[in-house]
Amino acid sequence: MNRLIYLDYAATTPVDPDVIAQMVQCLGMDGIFGNPASKSHYYGWHAGQLVDRARQQIANLIHAQAKEIIWTSGATESNNLALKGIAQSDLSKGKHIITSQIEHKAILDTCHELEQQGFEVTYLQPEPETGIIHPEMVRDAIRSDTLLVSLMMVNNELGTITDIAAIGEITHAHGIYFHVDAAQAAGKIAIDVDAMHVDLMSFSGHKVYGPKGIGALYMRTRPDLKLKAQIHGGGHELGCRSGTLAPHQIVGMGAAFALAKQYLHAEQLRLSVLREKLLHGLEKLTSIHLNGHATQHVANYLNVSFSADNAARIIQSIKQVAAVSSGSACNSNLAGSSHVLASLGRSTTLAENTIRFSFGKCSSEAEIDMLLVAIVENKGIPFITFD
């Protein structure tokens, strides 16, 4: 069976070979396999040292302190811990939360759960077509009882960037906690949690060429910021998240974030060339609608809706040669079109004829050429040069 061109890096990334090598060293008897919580022997000490180093590697990418990093099983758990932990820590601070209609389901479903517990949630509608959440939208939604604002930095379907720094200025001025889902932003855009006035930030290892099953939550050091633990049993991770730490996964995530910091800018420049090549190639072939902002985006994603009469055939031809997505991988088992595209004002027909292309380390211009040629051949139209 021929391997498909992989263009679904937003769903998950392959683990970097250098990351794998470091993880393997934490598995066997000859490696550093101990329980970091075991403080009475060197097996535990060595494991603890690696965990601390990885904590610092996460902190380095976002200009934080290592002690502000809490390990979790992934961004979904980090999001749950941030929102539920804040909401349930002190009910006297207010019961109003602001988020948006185009957040990841880990945020939306958590907000729906909190609504069942008596909280009120304002779901901001993004700017049509672009998916931008403007700072003034947040400012206008703030109430006297607003406890928390939670927004993603880079939308997982569109690649659109939210102006987190500007929104952080607003939340900071009002004394409101600010949580940011940065699962799709880490390693793609510069992050400075202090400059952006972010209090909580969620990360995932497997979106940054690290292993699955590991994530982190940044929690700013401030006296009034406390989280109610959602997993109990041992009081690990500052009492916020109990459970034995997995050094091999943590080391993998730390190594991946260190590599991401090193190559961030160069990789964005390289991928921007691929994105523009594919976008212009598709525009030559057929009628498409760009979903997301034309300039305020990371280079890794291209989300387009096909509007020609033969849209279904074009999409079929793409899926015959490339692994792509129709939306978020977390929504793939749900019926119906993307909630993100619906919030942008896209019709059901356009939303159903949409593909999210996402690029990564192994993506190349040759692969883009192969994809475009395959579309031409399957459409039965004359060959076009895509230079």
Side-chain angles (χ1 to χ4, degrees):
M1 184 177 79
N2 293 329
R3 292 175 65 90
L4 296 174
I5 299 169
Y6 191 71
L7 292 175
D8 203 16
Y9 286 83
T12 195
T13 59
V15 181
D16 186 278
D18 290 340
V19 173
I20 293 174
Q22 294 189 47
M23 292 178 64
V24 169
Q25 295 174 6
C26 300
L27 294 173
M29 188 65 190
D30 294 334
I32 304 175
F33 68 91
N35 186 334
S38 298
K39 305 298 186 183
S40 59
H41 50 70
Y42 72 89
Y43 293 103
W45 301 337
H46 286 187
Q49 288 174 346
L50 292 186
V51 167
D52 289 342
R53 184 184 70 181
R55 224 184 280 273
Q56 186 63 60
Q57 288 169 322
I58 305 300
N60 287 344
L61 184 66
I62 63 172
H63 295 85
Q65 301 176 61
K67 65 181 181 180
E68 297 174 313
I69 304 301
I70 297 169
W71 298 114
T72 68
S73 63
T76 292
E77 184 189 340
S78 295
N79 288 340
N80 273 261
L81 176 57
L83 270 63
K84 293 177 183 175
I86 282 288
Q88 298 168 359
S89 65
D90 188 350
L91 300 181
S92 67
K93 292 183 179 179
K95 302 188 72 173
H96 178 235
I97 297 169
I98 299 172
T99 187
S100 86
Q101 297 176 1
I102 59 172
E103 299 302 303
H104 190 279
K105 287 293 185 180
I107 294 295
L108 296 178
D109 287 354
T110 301
C111 284
H112 294 328
E113 173 64 22
L114 289 172
E115 285 180 304
Q116 300 302 310
Q117 299 175 22
F119 288 84
E120 292 185 65
V121 181
T122 296
Y123 299 92
L124 302 175
Q125 183 171 3
E127 181 178 79
E129 299 191 5
T130 70
I132 295 291
I133 301 296
H134 292 287
E136 55 266 28
M137 295 178 180
V138 177
R139 184 191 60 219
D140 293 345
I142 290 175
R143 307 183 334 198
S144 60
D145 62 340
T146 301
L147 171 68
L148 171 71
V149 172
S150 177
L151 296 168
M152 57 171 48
M153 182 174 284
V154 172
N155 186 269
N156 60 309
E157 293 190 27
L158 308 173
T160 296
I161 299 172
T162 301
D163 191 346
I164 294 300
I167 295 171
E169 289 282 355
I170 295 171
T171 57
H172 181 70
H174 285 79
I176 298 168
Y177 296 121
F178 188 23
H179 166 255
V180 175
D181 180 350
Q184 298 287 0
K188 303 176 182 71
I189 186 171
I191 299 174
D192 187 328
V193 289
D194 277 336
M196 294 175 172
H197 297 292
V198 173
D199 298 303
L200 298 148
M201 184 173 278
S202 301
F203 304 99
S204 177
H206 77 101
K207 306 293 187 181
V208 198
Y209 306 95
K212 297 174 181 63
I214 183 68
L217 176 67
Y218 159 76
M219 183 174 75
R220 178 181 294 279
T221 300
R222 50 183 283 188
D224 64 329
L225 179 54
K226 301 183 186 301
L227 297 181
K228 185 178 186 301
Q230 304 299 306
I231 298 177
H232 303 89
H236 306 76
E237 297 302 285
L238 303 177
C240 295
R241 200 271 188 183
S242 295
T244 301
L245 297 178
H248 65 294
Q249 289 179 304
I250 290 171
V251 164
M253 183 171 175
F257 271 55
L259 288 171
K261 178 178 174 62
Q262 183 178 352
Y263 296 108
L264 187 155
H265 298 294
E267 183 66 355
Q268 283 295 294
L269 289 174
R270 187 185 74 85
L271 294 182
S272 65
V273 174
L274 303 187
R275 184 184 185 277
E276 292 307 302
K277 184 180 184 69
L278 180 55
L279 175 59
H280 295 322
L282 291 173
E283 288 174 335
K284 286 184 179 181
L285 285 178
T286 187
S287 176
I288 61 172
H289 296 268
L290 176 66
N291 299 312
H293 199 276
T295 58
Q296 194 171 319
H297 61 78
V298 293
N300 305 69
Y301 310 111
L302 175 62
N303 189 306
V304 296
S305 297
F306 296 84
S307 57
D309 292 339
N310 60 346
R313 183 177 175 185
I314 295 173
I315 291 173
Q316 182 182 20
S317 69
I318 291 171
K319 291 186 175 181
Q320 286 175 352
V321 296
V324 294
S325 175
S326 299
S328 168
C330 297
N331 298 333
S332 61
N333 63 333
L334 302 176
S337 57
S338 162
H339 72 282
V340 173
L341 296 181
S343 295
L344 265 59
R346 292 300 187 208
S347 67
T348 300
T349 300
L350 276 180
E352 290 176 348
N353 289 321
T354 296
I355 286 184
R356 178 190 67 183
F357 302 93
S358 49
F359 317 98
K361 280 186 178 181
C362 298
S363 301
S364 67
E365 289 195 57
E367 289 183 334
I368 303 303
D369 285 332
M370 290 170 57
L371 174 59
L372 292 170
V373 169
I375 297 172
V376 171
E377 291 176 346
N378 289 326
K379 279 187 63 185
I381 64 175
F383 181 78
I384 297 175
T385 299
F386 299 100
D387 294 333

